[in-house]
Amino acid sequence: EVSEITERSRRNVAHGLAWSYYVGYLKIVLPRIKKSLEEFSRANPSRLLRRQTWKLHILIPLNCDISDDLEKADSNIQYLTDLTETTLTRGGTKNRVYKHSLYAIRDEDGEPWQCVLEFATPLQSLYAMSQDTCAAFSREERLEQAKLFYRTLEEILQGSKECRGTYRLIAYQAAAEAEPHFLTREILWHLRQQCQEEYALGDATLDANPPSSLGTTELNLQISQEELPLPLRSDCF
């Protein structure tokens, strides 16, 4: 009965998407990301200069609007190349290929910051559900589910020993008005923060929150800690 109520209210959608994303993808690729970056760095010693950012940076837009082409989403993002592919046999598919793309993010001075970057693709499902009359997913429900997806994924990854230190989640609210380099600003904040953390772990003056990104503390206030998820608040945004 509890399961049926939860299914009808669609409160388990984000939870299931987060676990599926982790088990079916992140748990496979994240433990290999450092090796791929090390191989690339040896072959291109002048390209990857900031070792602190040698992680998979996962973009989580809370409006679930994902662009397939990052260069079109922000002209300050430039595709460089793909890292070495990982080939595995999964689910009956022989030689399934997993790969990541390396990008250069140009800052205000035109300096490039290289990083491995991609969107959290399960958010496309949440967006599609909000556009499909059969799912009847409202904009408010989509926002709540996106927050729950982020919080659940963060908890899963924090408990995963094999994924430790291999990722950076970048959750953000899209700007109210169109900004041509909004995405660049969000990414650069996280890249710089990783470099600062390396040398200033005890610095109390370090800015803990980017201008528009969402921290764990803020999301904790909006997501129920009960065993059965409850309706979430979205009126704080």
Side-chain angles (χ1 to χ4, degrees), residues 67-79 103 119 179-181 183:
S67 173
D68 290 326
D69 192 334
L70 279 165
E71 292 179 298
K72 291 182 178 178
D74 192 320
S75 60
N76 279 348
I77 301 176
Q78 179 187 2
Y79 167 78
Y103 289 89
F119 281 103
E179 295 182 27
H181 302 303
L183 188 54

Side-chain angles (χ1 to χ4, degrees), residues 87 101 131 165 210 226:
T87 304
S101 297
Q131 304 298 309
E226 300 293 333

Side-chain angles (χ1 to χ4, degrees), residues 156-176:
I156 294 170
L157 289 172
Q158 285 177 347
S160 174
K161 292 182 180 179
E162 58 264 51
C163 296
R164 189 168 298 162
T166 62
Y167 66 91
R168 182 85 172 194
L169 302 182
I170 304 177
Y172 60 90
Q173 279 275 35

Side-chain angles (χ1 to χ4, degrees), residues 8 39 49 78 82 85 89 91 106 110 117 127 130 133 141 146-147 150 167 172 177 183 190 199 210 216 227:
R8 283 202 305 266
E39 290 175 353
L49 302 179
Q78 179 187 2
D82 291 330
E85 298 177 350
T89 296
R106 298 200 173 273
L117 189 66
Y127 188 84
S130 69
T133 55
E141 287 173 322
K147 294 175 188 175
Y150 167 70
Y167 66 91
Y172 60 90
E177 298 181 1
L183 188 54
H190 281 269
Y199 303 106
T216 303
E227 182 177 353

Side-chain angles (χ1 to χ4, degrees), residues 170-221:
I170 304 177
Y172 60 90
Q173 279 275 35
E177 298 181 1
E179 295 182 27
H181 302 303
F182 169 82
L183 188 54
T184 294
R185 179 163 56 86
E186 294 294 320
I187 298 167
L188 284 171
W189 187 92
H190 281 269
L191 295 177
R192 287 167 174 155
Q193 188 77 356
Q194 290 172 86
C195 293
Q196 291 173 345
E197 287 167 358
E198 182 77 9
Y199 303 106
L201 291 175
D203 188 352
T205 63
L206 193 63
D207 183 14
N209 290 294
S212 57
S213 294
L214 297 179
T216 303
T217 303
E218 183 178 354
L219 289 176
N220 274 338
L221 296 176

Side-chain angles (χ1 to χ4, degrees), residues 17-28:
L17 285 175
W19 271 104
S20 178
Y21 186 45
Y22 167 70
V23 174
Y25 179 64
L26 294 180
K27 191 176 182 180
I28 299 169

